[in-house]
Amino acid sequence: MQTKNTYRHKMTEVSKKLITSTFTSLLSLLLSITILLPTLNADDDFKSLLNEVTEIATKTKLNVDYQPSVVSVLHADKLKKIGVRNLHEAIGTLPGVETSILHTGWKQVIMRGNYNPDTFVFDKYKLYIDGVDIGSDLYSTSYYYLDFPIELIERIEVLRGSASTVYGPGAFSGAINVITKSSQSGISDSVFMSAGSYDYTKAGFVQHIKAGEWNIGIDAYHQHSNKELDAGKAFVSSNEAAYTRSDYNSLESFEDYSLGVTAKNKDFSVIARYKSEVADNFYGLSETLEPLAGGYQRNTSAILEIQNKSKISENISLDTKVGLNYYAFTFDTTIYQDYGGSGQSVRMNPTYKQLNSYMDINLKGTNIQDHRWMLGVGLQNIDTIKNVFGTTLRTPTYGGPTIVTSSPVYLEGKYGFLDGDNDQFIKSLYFQDIYSVNKDVDLSINLRLDSYSVFQEMLSYRLGSVYRLDDKNIFKVIYGRSYRAPSYVEAFQAEQDGLKNGNPNLNPEVIDTYEIAYTNKDYNHILRANLFYSVMQDVIDRLEDEPPSITVDYYNHKQRDAKGVEIEFTYSFDNSAELMANISYVRTQYFSPSYDNPVLYQSPIISEVLSKAYFLYPLTSALSFNSALYYSGPKKGFEDKQSYGATIIFDETISYNIDGYSNVMLSVKNLFDRSVMYPSYQSKHDGLKREGRNWLVTYERKF
């Protein structure tokens, strides 16, 4: 019987051969396209893509290839044509980005392998809608916005790499800004409706209104699904005595709606959005199916931000924003606890509500020759509005009241969902300078200090250089340090049966990222490639095999490394056809969460090789056939208990323009009905089974 080391060695050799073969094939394809195809005239859309302007990396408008970071811009109109339905799927089209879901149904975005698999949640990136942070401090996540419909989006700007110097702790390995259609002037009004597999329906609209000197944009949508997937008996607890359902399905129904408003008047802007989502519990809180129907989880988000941009002088401007970010989370679940064979079902119903109020002021200037500088200050107050934990069982082990009852008893304060309210005040100070050495070379520096009242201070910094060899070839070298403050759950979750205990003494996670990037672009193609190496320290992860004196379940673990390469290519043909392809290799180091004897091995959950390709082919001016191919390489389960093979998924979308204003699309995902499994943390069965072939029909009309 082969040892684990022998097995790892063989898997490494297989991975190397696969990576070499895949890279060789893709590079051969790219070279063939570049060299063999005739010189063609690109359309106007592609010409504008060559000189895409974004602010995401510096809050200063620059060509995307001049930003001192690795930046991608995704356009929703093209994403729709390849069958992308929401924000989660859109982000997953990028190199170095892997998307999946947890057993609870929470959508995940893993950038460059930066993921702590034993803790499940806690994002390593920050998500913005129209420049407004919509994240929550509770789980350090914004997954509840990833269902946002593609029909409401104009474009998505994604920064991969250290971003804390611009966006603060939490922008650990990236930042994402979603630009909605309602926030943009000159965009057509529209209505849309969809229907598809699992009783899925979606409908919404975008409307622009002129009211005096105010330009107002409104968007809204509602979506619903009755999805159930066969999970099998493996996801029912052993010795389960309270399972009363007749089926063994993962319950995945959800209902989601949102209303957004953007109002602009000269230098003032007001951005507001409300979003509510209720979903079933999928495979259950602890990867055991709910023993009876009725479990749910609800996320409610409301944001309000007022912005002002004013000129102090010809070369100096002042940007100010103040805002509120309200978040509420509750779930109702029943889990089975096996206390030495005398099992008991436990119902939990916690509720947490939080209100963040903030102000951000930055001064921008070009008054110093060859310098574009920015100086800013930020203030944020985090206030806990509600913190309760409802439970039917509480043992004396955890102190406080002992509970054994059929209906939940609700606890607050020290025995609430979190151990106390833990309100806090955050002060931030940041500086940026982009220095043009000459017409070909830019140097940039970013510094940021964030002072938390309940966590230690964090000093982020980034150094970057952009070298323009000529109009077609651009090089970048970047180094950055970013932080992620512990989430409230990691730091303060109260001791409760069935949940992990928080650790208030956690240090923030820190990551150092080194990058080299290259861009080659012409009037018909864009080739971008970058190498990166990251070192993550004070990793916050679950703790096991700890001595009795340690009662917390989250801990700072030793260093982990990640390295990889990302290549993306776009080619535009003279008949408006377009080819887009990317490939990435990410190798992430992982230590098992043992207190005394952590074992080093390849990070679970993550595919080392990802490849994605898209071909948009207009058969006529009205009809197009668009294909998408997704390849995810093999991945390991937890602690080498299980492995998962490679997955290849093919999607096909037919788009037909009825007239100049109306369009209908039929999208079929997983056309060849391939088996798709996401890893199971408990190594149950073959993993978390996902849907096979599924379809969606969408009608959209512009006005």
Side-chain angles (χ1 to χ4, degrees), residues 104 120 139 285-286 329 331 333 335 337 339 346-351 388-391 393-394 398 415-418 489 492-502 542 551-554:
T104 56
F120 305 129
Y139 279 102
L285 181 70
S286 58
F329 174 71
F331 68 83
T333 186
I335 64 173
Q337 296 282 72
Y339 296 103
V346 184
R347 182 182 168 195
M348 291 185 286
N349 179 215
T351 299
V388 301
F389 189 86
T391 183
L393 177 69
R394 183 179 178 83
Y398 298 113
Y415 304 111
F417 188 31
L418 303 179
V489 164
F492 308 120
Q493 187 159 273
E495 294 182 327
Q496 303 284 0
D497 285 274
L499 298 181
K500 297 184 179 72
N501 303 337
R542 181 176 63 92
T551 59
V552 298
D553 288 317
Y554 294 103

Side-chain angles (χ1 to χ4, degrees), residues 102-380:
L102 291 169
H103 52 274
T104 56
W106 295 16
K107 289 178 168 58
Q108 290 186 295
V109 174
I110 302 172
M111 287 191 172
R112 295 181 170 179
N114 288 316
Y115 178 59
N116 301 351
D118 290 302
T119 56
F120 305 129
V121 286
F122 318 123
D123 295 337
K124 306 294 187 183
Y125 68 96
K126 292 188 78 169
L127 177 62
Y128 293 78
I129 305 290
D130 293 322
V132 180
D133 183 0
I134 48 81
S136 156
D137 297 280
L138 178 64
Y139 279 102
S140 185
T141 185
S142 49
Y143 76 91
Y144 42 88
Y145 266 89
L146 294 176
D147 275 321
F148 199 77
I150 196 67
E151 289 84 3
L152 298 185
I153 298 173
E154 175 64 15
R155 67 183 186 275
I156 305 165
E157 301 173 345
V158 182
L159 187 162
R160 300 192 301 279
S162 296
S164 288
T165 55
V166 179
Y167 297 103
F172 193 72
S173 57
I176 301 168
N177 187 27
V178 178
I179 312 299
T180 64
K181 290 185 175 181
S182 60
S183 70
Q184 302 296 292
S185 59
I187 301 294
S188 299
D189 296 336
S190 63
V191 296
F192 60 90
M193 56 193 72
S194 301
S197 302
Y198 307 105
D199 297 326
Y200 175 77
T201 59
K202 175 174 63 176
F205 70 87
V206 176
Q207 176 75 48
H208 293 86
I209 301 171
K210 181 75 172 177
E213 295 186 351
W214 287 91
N215 294 305
I216 302 172
I218 304 172
D219 65 48
Y221 74 87
H222 175 273
Q223 55 184 339
H224 171 81
S225 170
N226 288 320
K227 183 191 291 186
E228 293 185 14
L229 296 177
D230 180 27
K233 294 184 179 180
F235 289 93
V236 174
S237 296
S238 59
N239 303 321
E240 174 71 82
Y243 196 85
T244 61
R245 289 164 49 190
S246 60
D247 64 89
Y248 296 96
N249 294 335
S250 171
L251 304 180
E252 303 183 8
S253 296
F254 79 98
E255 186 164 17
D256 174 35
Y257 63 89
S258 175
L259 173 66
V261 179
T262 302
K264 298 181 180 181
N265 182 351
K266 297 180 181 178
D267 296 331
F268 280 93
S269 297
V270 179
I271 300 172
R273 183 168 298 279
Y274 177 84
K275 186 178 186 300
S276 175
E277 178 185 82
V278 181
D280 288 339
N281 286 335
F282 285 61
Y283 287 82
L285 181 70
S286 58
E287 266 194 40
T288 55
L289 297 176
E290 298 282 337
L292 46 90
Y296 67 87
Q297 48 193 303
R298 177 183 289 114
N299 290 278
T300 304
S301 169
I303 58 174
L304 173 64
E305 183 170 292
I306 301 173
Q307 304 173 352
N308 175 254
K309 297 183 178 182
S310 58
K311 280 275 191 179
I312 293 179
S313 67
E314 182 179 354
N315 298 316
I316 300 178
S317 62
L318 181 67
D319 294 353
T320 304
K321 63 180 182 181
V322 295
L324 298 172
N325 181 347
Y326 167 82
Y327 175 71
F329 174 71
T330 184
F331 68 83
D332 196 313
T333 186
T334 302
I335 64 173
Y336 183 80
Q337 296 282 72
D338 188 8
Y339 296 103
S342 58
Q344 186 168 356
S345 292
V346 184
R347 182 182 168 195
M348 291 185 286
N349 179 215
T351 299
Y352 179 79
K353 298 180 181 180
Q354 185 181 77
L355 181 65
N356 289 9
S357 53
Y358 60 89
M359 178 177 67
D360 195 78
I361 302 172
N362 60 73
L363 199 64
K364 298 179 181 179
T366 57
N367 57 318
I368 303 174
Q369 186 175 359
D370 299 325
H371 289 266
R372 283 166 287 182
W373 57 269
M374 179 174 66
L375 182 64
V377 61
L379 301 173
Q380 181 181 7

Side-chain angles (χ1 to χ4, degrees), residues 365-615:
T366 57
N367 57 318
I368 303 174
Q369 186 175 359
D370 299 325
H371 289 266
R372 283 166 287 182
W373 57 269
M374 179 174 66
L375 182 64
V377 61
L379 301 173
Q380 181 181 7
N381 185 66
I382 302 176
D383 182 29
T384 299
I385 299 173
K386 189 173 184 179
N387 172 33
V388 301
F389 189 86
T391 183
T392 59
L393 177 69
R394 183 179 178 83
T395 61
T397 306
Y398 298 113
T402 299
I403 297 171
V404 182
T405 181
S406 58
S407 299
V409 175
Y410 291 88
L411 307 174
E412 299 182 71
K414 179 176 178 58
Y415 304 111
F417 188 31
L418 303 179
D419 183 354
D421 289 348
N422 299 292
D423 298 336
Q424 68 171 315
F425 190 68
I426 305 169
K427 296 174 287 186
S428 305
L429 181 65
Y430 52 90
F431 169 76
Q432 172 182 281
D433 183 39
I434 302 174
Y435 169 52
S436 297
V437 179
N438 53 48
K439 65 181 182 64
D440 298 323
V441 179
D442 289 343
L443 300 177
S444 67
I445 181 171
N446 289 74
L447 297 171
R448 182 183 180 106
L449 178 64
D450 293 280
S451 177
Y452 282 66
S453 59
V454 296
F455 300 122
Q456 68 183 46
E457 290 185 344
M458 288 159 265
L459 177 63
S460 308
Y461 40 87
R462 181 178 65 183
L463 302 172
S465 177
V466 179
Y467 171 54
R468 295 173 286 275
L469 179 64
D470 50 41
D471 292 337
K472 299 179 181 179
N473 298 281
I474 302 166
F475 297 86
K476 300 180 184 180
V477 178
I478 308 140
Y479 161 68
R481 165 167 284 201
S482 284
Y483 286 85
R484 185 183 75 85
S487 70
Y488 273 35
V489 164
E490 290 167 308
F492 308 120
Q493 187 159 273
E495 294 182 327
Q496 303 284 0
D497 285 274
L499 298 181
K500 297 184 179 72
N501 303 337
N503 180 359
N505 298 314
L506 287 172
N507 295 324
E509 291 182 319
V510 59
I511 189 170
D512 293 287
T513 302
Y514 307 83
E515 300 176 82
I516 299 175
Y518 167 69
T519 299
N520 174 268
K521 58 183 182 178
D522 209 336
Y523 55 84
N524 59 358
H525 78 270
I526 303 175
L527 171 65
R528 295 188 175 102
N530 53 284
L531 300 169
F532 68 88
Y533 176 69
S534 297
V535 180
M536 187 162 64
Q537 301 175 65
D538 280 329
V539 179
I540 300 174
D541 218 334
R542 181 176 63 92
L543 185 64
E544 62 182 23
D545 304 326
E546 68 272 20
S549 59
I550 297 180
T551 59
V552 298
D553 288 317
Y554 294 103
Y555 209 71
N556 287 113
H557 292 270
K558 61 195 306 182
Q559 175 180 310
R560 298 178 186 174
D561 299 343
K563 53 191 173 186
V565 58
E566 302 163 337
I567 301 173
E568 51 187 329
F569 180 80
T570 302
Y571 193 95
S572 179
F573 300 87
D574 61 348
N575 64 346
S576 296
E578 191 166 341
L579 172 69
M580 297 171 283
N582 64 66
I583 187 170
S584 56
Y585 166 70
V586 178
R587 177 77 176 184
T588 307
Q589 188 181 67
Y590 173 75
F591 285 93
S592 62
S594 172
Y595 180 80
D596 290 316
N597 187 33
V599 178
L600 173 66
Y601 60 100
Q602 175 190 340
S603 185
I605 303 299
I606 299 163
S607 296
E608 289 191 345
V609 179
L610 297 171
S611 185
K612 305 151 190 181
Y614 317 96
F615 185 62

